[in-house]
């Protein structure tokens, strides 16, 4: 089977390195920056607790109500 398309494996030649090792030296794909402060996916209707920069704390609010504040950096998600 021949691999064709954008995801096929490509071998890069490097001077002085055996071919069986050179495959591990190929350039890595860049990861997309994560949006928001948490790495987990939060649903719009999930309830979270947030703390604002001025110290105000809001407990058990829906994510969609504070989404803009989180993305702007005005508050951070905290654990209960």
């Amino acid at each position: 089977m021949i691999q064709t398309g954008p995801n096929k494996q490509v071998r890069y030649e490097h001077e002085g390195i055996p071919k069986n090792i050179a495959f591990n030296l190929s350039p890595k794909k860049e990861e997309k920056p994560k949006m928001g402060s948490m790495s987990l996916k939060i649903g719009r209707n999930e309830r979270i607790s947030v703390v604002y920069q001025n110290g105000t704390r809001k407990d058990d609010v829906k994510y969609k109500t504070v989404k803009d504040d989180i993305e702007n950096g005005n508050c951070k998600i905290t654990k209960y």
Side-chain angles (χ1 to χ4, degrees):
M1 178 160 43
I2 297 175
Q3 292 182 352
T4 59
N7 294 328
K8 74 177 198 172
Q9 296 174 341
V10 179
R11 181 181 302 268
Y12 294 94
E13 299 295 328
H14 299 281
E15 292 289 326
I17 299 176
K19 288 186 178 182
N20 61 347
I21 297 176
F23 204 86
N24 295 333
L25 299 175
S26 58
K28 297 185 180 188
K29 295 181 181 178
E30 294 182 25
E31 293 184 17
K32 296 179 182 176
K34 295 180 181 173
M35 198 168 145
S37 61
M38 294 196 66
S39 59
L40 299 174
K41 175 84 171 141
I42 299 175
R44 284 177 43 85
N45 290 319
E46 288 189 41
R47 296 199 172 261
I48 59 172
S49 296
V50 295
V51 175
Y52 283 86
Q53 289 181 348
N54 64 4
T56 307
R57 180 182 178 104
K58 289 187 178 181
D59 291 325
D60 202 33
V61 294
K62 286 192 176 182
Y63 175 74
K64 64 184 175 183
T65 60
V66 293
K67 179 181 176 185
D68 292 334
D69 291 339
I70 293 170
E71 290 176 354
N72 292 333
N74 297 333
C75 63
K76 291 186 179 182
I77 300 173
T78 61
K79 294 186 177 185
Y80 289 98

